[in-house]
Amino acid sequence: MFKKLKMLFAGLAVFSTVASVAAVQAEADKSQELVVYSNAVSSGRGDWLIEKAAEAGFKIKIVEVPGGEIADRLIGEKNNSIADVTFGLNVIEYNKLKKEDVLKPYKPAWADEVTEGLADPDGNYWPITVVPLVLMGNESQTMPKDWTDLTDPKYKDQYGIFALSGGTPKMILASILARYADKDGELGVSEEGWEVVKKYIQNAHIYTEGEDHRTAIIEGKYKYGQMWGNGLLQLEKERNVKMQFMQPEIGMPFVSEHLGIVKNSKKAELAEEFINWFGSAETQLAWSNQFGTIPANKKALEKAPDYVKEFASKTKQQDIDWEFVGQHIDQWVEKVTLEFIQ
């Protein structure tokens, strides 16, 4: 009898908890505006998200910020938060926010559907897409075999890279430097590594703000350019062109875009409802269909377009010590910016 009562009370406690959660969710006021900070809303993604979110009953305002600046901005606003949600950043940037206690831990409704190992163990951020970072070229180009090949003088001004304020160029830089880890070297990198990066940076054209880097590659102004995987697929779809991408033997850096709730948001319940919708298999499949993303949600990936699954099958992930990278990336970027960019 005691055991039965114990089970009954436990069941009532679970029911009470579920009911309480449901009540909180029911109380979320969808007439309120959610402010979303993101570096992943270019090329129509932001407009699509605003429209589809509105259809689902959410009113959102997107503030587009370069990936390398979002964490600093959120940390600076920590005691007077403007944003409610942030998405698009990689693990390194989210771990900065976690360390500064900027994020609110939570568990989305789709938590059990995402690829294992991508989410924060403490629930501060959750993955929505997996993003290989590539060097692309148009169909007529002979592709180099590795980022390190670009140190050859023959590639001078033949390829474009983004300014290091953005997440993509930072992670590609990190993927090169991480190969040359040396505990006795400057900032943990050997002299050889710094020489490779110096030549890689100084041979490159660094895109200026507003420069049409996609057209530059299509038309051959530059033979090659940095791109995130779904950006390449979206470019092919929108411009009806065929692009190719470098496939280094060592692999390419993979990053995953994540979602997080800002801890001091006064609309945390509404933010969680929004995330439950945005990261769901249904929404992520629609996102993939529209923009060629590789969903972290396994149910969405199963139904993703064939060209997305084909692209994913051709990519190989580089083995990178992201903890090592996280310890040094800001210092690496500072050194490269001050010493190598001419």
Side-chain angles (χ1 to χ4, degrees):
M1 176 64 72
F2 177 74
K3 286 184 178 180
K4 288 183 178 180
L5 286 173
K6 192 174 181 181
M7 290 173 66
L8 174 61
F9 288 137
L12 288 172
V14 170
F15 175 81
S16 176
T17 301
V18 171
S20 297
V21 170
V24 169
Q25 291 178 338
E27 291 170 4
D29 182 2
K30 284 190 175 182
S31 69
Q32 292 182 302
E33 182 179 71
L34 283 174
V35 178
V36 179
Y37 282 7
S38 181
N39 63 322
V41 290
S42 60
S43 303
R45 286 176 291 179
D47 293 337
W48 185 95
L49 184 56
I50 290 170
E51 178 185 343
K52 298 302 179 183
E55 291 175 6
F58 298 99
K59 183 180 180 182
I60 64 172
K61 176 183 178 181
I62 294 176
V63 180
E64 185 173 6
V65 185
E69 299 175 15
I70 290 182
D72 291 340
R73 184 162 175 172
L74 287 170
I75 291 167
E77 296 172 357
K78 177 178 174 180
N79 296 320
N80 188 25
S81 298
I82 297 171
D84 302 297
V85 173
T86 178
F87 89 88
L89 296 178
N90 58 57
V91 170
I92 291 173
E93 298 298 319
Y94 271 111
N95 278 336
K96 284 185 190 176
L97 296 175
K98 178 181 176 180
K99 184 178 179 181
E100 294 291 334
D101 198 27
V102 172
L103 301 171
K104 176 184 180 295
Y106 69 103
K107 185 175 181 179
W110 39 265
D112 296 334
E113 298 173 9
V114 297
T115 303
E116 190 175 352
L118 294 180
D120 174 43
D122 300 317
N124 286 273
Y125 52 82
W126 293 83
I128 49 172
T129 62
V130 178
V131 187
L133 304 179
V134 303
L135 183 76
M136 71 174 184
N138 68 36
E139 202 171 20
S140 68
Q141 304 300 340
T142 300
M143 298 300 294
K145 296 184 182 302
D146 199 302
W147 294 101
T148 55
D149 290 355
L150 300 176
T151 60
D152 191 309
K154 73 179 183 180
Y155 289 110
K156 176 71 173 174
D157 296 325
Q158 297 294 304
Y159 60 96
I161 66 175
F162 299 105
L164 289 174
S165 57
T168 294
K170 272 189 182 182
M171 293 303 97
I172 292 172
L173 173 69
S175 76
I176 299 172
L177 285 171
R179 307 182 194 190
Y180 300 94
D182 181 351
K183 62 182 178 61
D184 297 321
E186 183 181 2
L187 304 178
V189 175
S190 68
E191 287 186 18
E192 180 186 4
W194 285 119
E195 188 61 27
V196 166
V197 162
K198 180 180 179 179
K199 291 176 180 177
Y200 158 73
I201 291 290
Q202 293 186 350
N203 276 350
H205 165 73
I206 300 177
Y207 298 124
T208 57
E209 187 175 353
E211 186 173 356
D212 187 352
H213 62 277
R214 293 172 175 84
T215 298
I217 302 300
I218 292 172
E219 296 181 351
K221 179 180 179 181
Y222 302 109
K223 291 183 177 180
Y224 320 107
Q226 292 179 339
M227 183 55 76
W228 47 98
N230 57 289
L232 182 151
L233 296 178
Q234 189 177 359
L235 178 62
E236 289 185 323
K237 183 178 178 182
E238 290 179 350
R239 303 283 190 94
N240 194 29
V241 294
K242 183 65 178 174
M243 307 300 290
Q244 54 180 327
F245 60 96
M246 182 174 71
Q247 300 181 56
E249 184 176 344
I250 197 173
M252 57 192 70
F254 275 36
V255 297
S256 44
E257 296 178 327
H258 292 77
L259 279 159
I261 297 174
V262 177
K263 185 174 184 178
N264 289 331
S265 166
K266 294 180 174 61
K267 294 165 272 185
E269 290 82 10
L270 181 59
E272 190 160 342
E273 277 196 36
F274 169 74
I275 286 174
N276 283 340
W277 167 79
F278 186 36
S280 68
E282 182 181 5
T283 305
Q284 283 304 302
L285 177 58
W287 188 251
S288 179
N289 285 333
Q290 186 71 24
F291 301 110
T293 54
I294 302 174
N297 188 305
K298 292 178 285 188
K299 289 185 176 180
L301 182 58
E302 287 172 2
K303 298 179 180 179
D306 288 341
Y307 73 93
V308 171
K309 289 188 280 191
E310 181 184 358
F311 172 76
S313 72
K314 293 179 179 178
T315 61
K316 173 185 174 183
Q317 184 172 3
Q318 181 182 345
D319 184 14
I320 297 172
D321 184 346
W322 289 113
E323 184 176 352
F324 168 66
V325 170
Q327 291 169 355
H328 296 287
I329 186 63
D330 289 340
Q331 295 169 305
W332 290 347
V333 169
E334 182 178 21
K335 176 178 172 65
V336 170
T337 301
L338 294 177
E339 298 181 24
F340 298 162
I341 295 179
Q342 299 173 325

